[in-house]
Amino acid sequence: VLWIGIGGSGLGPKLIINSLEGVNTGLKFHFIDNVDPIGISDTLSSLPKQISTVLVCVVSKSGGTPEPKLGMDISRDYIEQQGGNWSSQAVAITMKNSKLDNIAKSESWLRSFDLPEWVGGRTSITGAVGLLPISLIGSNIDDFLKILNLWLGIFKKMVYRKNYSSILTFRESNISSKR
């Protein structure tokens, strides 16, 4: 799996992989999470020789952020030069009708997963940004969601009235659970 995502869209899945991945289970992940040309080159050269077996996940909420687009464009060129077929290997995680979603639809990518506008990068692992990697490494999504629910229950009992980031997080979790 080649995962292209900046900020929470890259760090969240890395956290998931490092925390839950078992030895020799699931798919191997390669990350492009910044625009360092040497890092991108090293990541692309570490992909399997059978490039057509690589699933590419491009994550950009707006679909217009320059860094993921640059990573996508460079990766696309590399994969196609190696004999891969981008459209049959790529999925998008983005807002509905974003630039990236429209590209994915017009080029018939494998799938486009919705990343709702109200989901922030740091909390995106509770949606497709985290759940897709969990499934691809062979971990149990239901167990992950049960643990999150447990933590939410603990958090609700904590004294947080003077912690403004906690207040905002709790407020947003209540708003999002009602959507």
Side-chain angles (χ1 to χ4, degrees):
V1 177
L2 175 60
W3 192 274
I4 303 167
I6 307 295
S9 299
L11 292 173
K14 273 188 178 179
L15 171 71
I16 295 285
I17 302 300
N18 291 336
S19 300
L20 301 177
E21 184 177 41
V23 178
N24 297 321
T25 61
L27 301 176
K28 181 170 174 41
F29 274 70
H30 306 265
F31 288 90
I32 293 179
D33 58 0
N34 63 61
V35 293
D36 170 40
I38 294 171
I40 291 173
S41 178
D42 289 348
T43 298
L44 294 174
S45 65
S46 73
L47 295 173
K49 297 276 186 233
Q50 293 183 327
I51 202 74
S52 63
T53 64
V54 175
L55 174 66
V56 182
C57 300
V58 182
V59 185
S60 175
K61 185 161 66 171
S62 70
T65 309
E67 294 86 354
K69 181 169 182 346
L70 178 64
M72 179 183 80
D73 291 343
I74 293 169
S75 299
R76 181 182 197 139
D77 289 345
Y78 178 84
I79 286 173
E80 290 177 348
Q81 287 171 6
Q82 301 300 313
N85 180 331
W86 183 267
S87 294
S88 68
Q89 294 176 238
V91 299
I93 302 176
T94 188
M95 291 189 311
K96 286 183 181 175
N97 300 314
S98 71
K99 290 179 184 179
L100 182 58
D101 188 44
N102 292 333
I103 291 169
K105 287 176 186 172
S106 71
E107 296 178 358
S108 300
W109 289 17
L110 290 172
R111 177 84 194 255
S112 186
F113 295 93
D114 185 32
L115 182 55
E117 184 177 357
W118 52 268
V119 174
R122 291 179 189 95
T123 59
S124 62
I125 64 168
T126 59
V129 173
L131 300 179
L132 183 58
I134 289 171
S135 67
L136 293 174
I137 62 171
S139 287
N140 188 310
I141 291 174
D142 290 333
D143 288 347
F144 179 75
L145 294 174
K146 286 177 189 172
I147 291 168
L148 284 177
N149 195 38
L150 174 69
W151 276 106
L152 182 58
I154 292 169
F155 177 75
K156 285 179 178 179
K157 293 177 185 175
M158 290 173 52
V159 177
Y160 60 88
R161 295 180 197 276
K162 293 183 181 179
N163 183 330
Y164 294 111
S165 62
S166 296
I167 292 168
L168 290 173
T169 300
F170 182 66
R171 182 178 161 268
E172 289 301 314
S173 72
N174 279 338
I175 291 169
S176 65
S177 68
K178 293 175 184 173
R179 291 181 181 183

